[in-house]
Amino acid sequence: MTLAEVLKGATDYLARRGIETARVDAELLLARALALTRIELYTQHDRPVTEAERTAARELVQRRGRREPLAYVLGDWDFRRLTLKTDSRALVPRPETEIVVERCLALLDGAERPRIADVGTGTGAIALALKQERPDASVVATDASPEALALARENAEANGLDVRFVEADLLAGVEGRFDLVVSNPPYVGAEEIEQLEPELAWEPRAALLDEGQTARLAHEARAVLDGWLVLEVHADRAREIAEQLSTNGYRRVSISLDLAGRERVVEARWAPTARSNGP
């Protein structure tokens, strides 16, 4: 079989299994299996594919056909300027989370040597992106999962970035004052969990299911913040969370949209003096 024929077969196979991005996924999987670029898949479209190459490609395509997330099958994923190792120890970094990083960078503009805490770091995507793009920052990242922290540490080492990782429930045990606390906490409701796309069944349930972490973090962050709280939230709850922050003494509360135009990021400022001033 030629490369073009294998690519078509892989695309058709994935499409039959309900994968909307079947062509792109097939290209990425074949390119990885054959150590080619996606452009080379087309410039070499008529070359024969060896049996060993077909076997390697088939294994990856079948994994994706079982609806394993593409990032897990590939083993890595691009996030802003980083390439991160990805596997079932942590959620796959989403494009909307890049908006979170953009808002953090904008809020820290002009701050000298800012101190940042990333809560529930997962792969380390937010913490590592912020450290890479603000090398003067001091960044600590927490996660309750030792497996996720191990993955984040691997990503920090692979990218040569100095971030301190702490196994903790939210901000437990984290001391000092921070210019910014950021988090992408679980925000899928229990009533929604079974309705989500099949790929999410492969990802850690604890990192998905909302059990009040956002409200707890907003409360705990006040003890360490002299600056900004930035949260990625459920699009249907952004305004509710913004109102809760305002009620609880946060100032300059605002909402940013994700790439699909949904209300996705809530940010608010907390200063220690807000405690004595009241709401």
Side-chain angles (χ1 to χ4, degrees):
M1 297 181 69
T2 66
L3 192 51
E5 291 170 329
V6 172
L7 178 57
K8 182 180 185 304
T11 301
D12 293 344
Y13 175 85
L14 295 177
R16 288 196 300 271
R17 279 150 183 79
I19 296 173
E20 295 181 0
T21 56
R23 182 69 176 192
V24 171
D25 288 19
E27 291 174 355
L28 291 169
L29 294 168
L30 263 64
R32 180 61 55 89
L34 277 60
L36 299 172
T37 66
R38 289 172 69 188
I39 292 175
E40 287 173 331
L41 293 178
Y42 293 95
T43 59
Q44 301 180 27
H45 69 280
D46 57 350
R47 84 158 172 86
V49 178
T50 69
E51 187 58 37
E53 289 174 329
R54 288 181 62 189
T55 299
R58 185 183 303 114
E59 178 183 349
L60 297 186
V61 171
Q62 288 178 344
R63 286 176 62 188
R64 183 68 183 108
R66 292 192 291 270
R67 303 303 291 267
E68 185 175 351
L70 179 63
Y72 288 176
V73 180
L74 293 172
D76 57 54
W77 201 243
D78 290 338
F79 182 83
R80 292 182 70 83
R81 304 173 187 173
L82 298 166
T83 297
L84 301 173
K85 181 177 181 180
T86 47
D87 59 38
S88 60
R89 289 177 286 178
L91 295 181
V92 176
R94 265 64 173 185
E96 50 265 35
T97 306
E98 297 196 19
I99 305 299
V100 175
V101 175
E102 288 180 7
R103 291 306 309 146
C104 291
L105 292 170
L107 293 170
L108 291 171
D109 186 35
E112 295 184 4
R113 296 185 295 278
R115 296 195 71 226
I116 301 169
D118 172 28
V119 179
T121 195
T123 61
I126 294 174
L128 295 174
L130 289 172
K131 181 62 178 179
Q132 184 186 58
E133 298 180 50
R134 280 298 303 262
D136 63 320
S138 173
V139 183
V140 59
T142 74
D143 206 293
S145 165
E147 294 81 11
L149 281 178
L151 177 59
R153 289 190 179 101
E154 292 167 21
N155 281 323
E157 183 177 356
N159 287 279
L161 295 168
D162 181 18
V163 169
R164 183 166 70 93
F165 295 99
V166 178
E167 184 178 342
D169 176 27
L170 302 181
L171 286 163
V174 175
E175 299 178 350
R177 189 69 63 185
F178 290 88
D179 299 284
L180 185 140
V181 172
V182 57
S183 184
N184 176 13
Y187 55 71
V188 176
E191 71 284 357
E192 300 173 285
I193 201 79
E194 301 303 329
Q195 303 171 16
L196 299 175
E197 57 266 27
E199 283 79 0
L200 288 175
W202 296 80
E203 301 191 63
R205 183 64 60 97
L208 288 168
L209 189 58
D210 182 2
E211 296 181 328
Q213 293 94 327
T214 300
R216 287 199 297 123
L217 176 58
H219 176 76
E220 291 184 18
R222 298 183 299 181
V224 300
L225 256 182
D226 187 359
W228 294 94
L229 176 65
V230 181
L231 300 168
E232 181 175 329
V233 302
H234 195 300
D236 294 341
R237 296 194 59 218
R239 298 192 182 193
E240 174 190 342
I241 291 169
E243 290 174 3
Q244 290 173 355
L245 292 177
S246 181
T247 299
N248 284 281
Y250 283 87
R251 296 288 184 265
R252 298 170 65 182
V253 182
S254 64
I255 298 171
S256 297
L257 305 181
D258 64 18
L259 297 173
R262 295 168 296 197
E263 296 181 327
R264 183 64 66 187
V265 184
V266 178
E267 61 195 53
R269 185 167 180 83
W270 175 268
T273 54
R275 297 177 183 176
S276 58
N277 291 343

